Amino acid sequence: MKARMSREEYYLEVLEAVRKRSTCDRGMSGAIIVKEGRIITTGYVGAPAGTPHCDEMGHLMEQRYLDSRGERTSEHCVRTVHAELNAILQAAYFGVSVKGGTMYCTMTPCFDVCAKAIINVGIKEVIAMYPYQAQLRTTVLFDEAEIALTILNPEKELY
């Protein structure tokens, strides 16, 4: 008899399917929010609703910096909304509370927008498949806000 997959295995497989819906090949990321053992919302990297996707228009690339010392990261496409924020926005759009939930995401959420949104909507735990290249500020912020952060694979994902 085949063993039933665990809830976490199930959530991670759903997360993998969600990330494949991304419309920007520079950031193939997904996010799901789970509350009381149920997936309540999903999000993937994509252009705002009704606007052209990177797959159609091309990327809108900008250089990003890690800190005030001016240490640069690779260029980022800024045409899209991040997966984590899209999952939160989807819940808001349909009037579903994510307070107390757990977010599963492809990479550690960005500091600039996603980590702060996660804190403000009351998500209490974040489980990331991979670390993000600029995750230090997010890690510190989550510690201050008492958000549990687990990174399942220490290897950074290349995209």
Side-chain angles (χ1 to χ4, degrees):
M1 184 164 143
K2 186 174 141 184
R4 184 176 185 201
M5 70 172 59
S6 70
R7 283 187 189 261
E8 185 166 270
E9 290 169 328
Y10 166 64
Y11 299 146
L12 293 173
E13 285 200 25
V14 170
L15 176 62
E16 186 62 27
V18 169
R19 78 184 281 203
K20 290 177 182 176
R21 291 277 304 153
S22 298
T23 63
C24 178
D25 64 0
R26 289 279 306 151
M28 299 285 291
S29 294
I32 65 172
I33 300 175
V34 175
K35 188 173 175 182
E36 298 175 10
R38 301 197 185 280
I39 296 171
I40 59 170
T41 187
T42 67
Y44 52 83
V45 172
T51 67
H53 300 166
C54 294
D55 298 346
E56 301 163 356
M57 292 277 301
H59 300 286
L60 179 58
M61 301 301 287
E62 286 187 4
Q63 189 70 55
R64 293 296 178 168
Y65 299 89
L66 288 177
D67 58 28
S68 60
R69 296 184 314 246
E71 184 179 342
R72 292 191 292 173
T73 67
S74 61
E75 286 190 325
H76 292 263
C77 179
V78 295
R79 181 182 306 284
T80 59
V81 179
H82 290 183
E84 300 88 346
L85 188 56
N86 264 333
I88 291 167
L89 293 170
Q90 189 75 356
Y93 186 85
F94 287 105
V96 177
S97 172
V98 297
K99 184 177 181 180
T102 298
M103 178 179 281
Y104 288 80
C105 48
T106 304
M107 292 182 280
T108 309
C110 75
F111 173 79
D112 291 334
V113 176
C114 297
K116 295 168 193 171
I118 288 166
I119 291 167
N120 279 359
V121 298
I123 291 171
K124 293 298 177 193
E125 180 179 21
V126 174
I127 299 171
M129 291 176 62
Y130 302 99
Y132 179 57
Q133 61 188 345
Q135 74 177 17
L136 180 59
R137 291 189 293 176
T138 295
T139 303
V140 170
L141 189 62
F142 279 177
D143 282 346
E144 292 171 353
E146 299 180 0
I147 306 276
L149 173 63
T150 303
I151 300 171
L152 300 176
N153 183 342
E155 298 294 319
K156 290 182 179 143
E157 185 179 46
L158 301 175
Y159 55 89

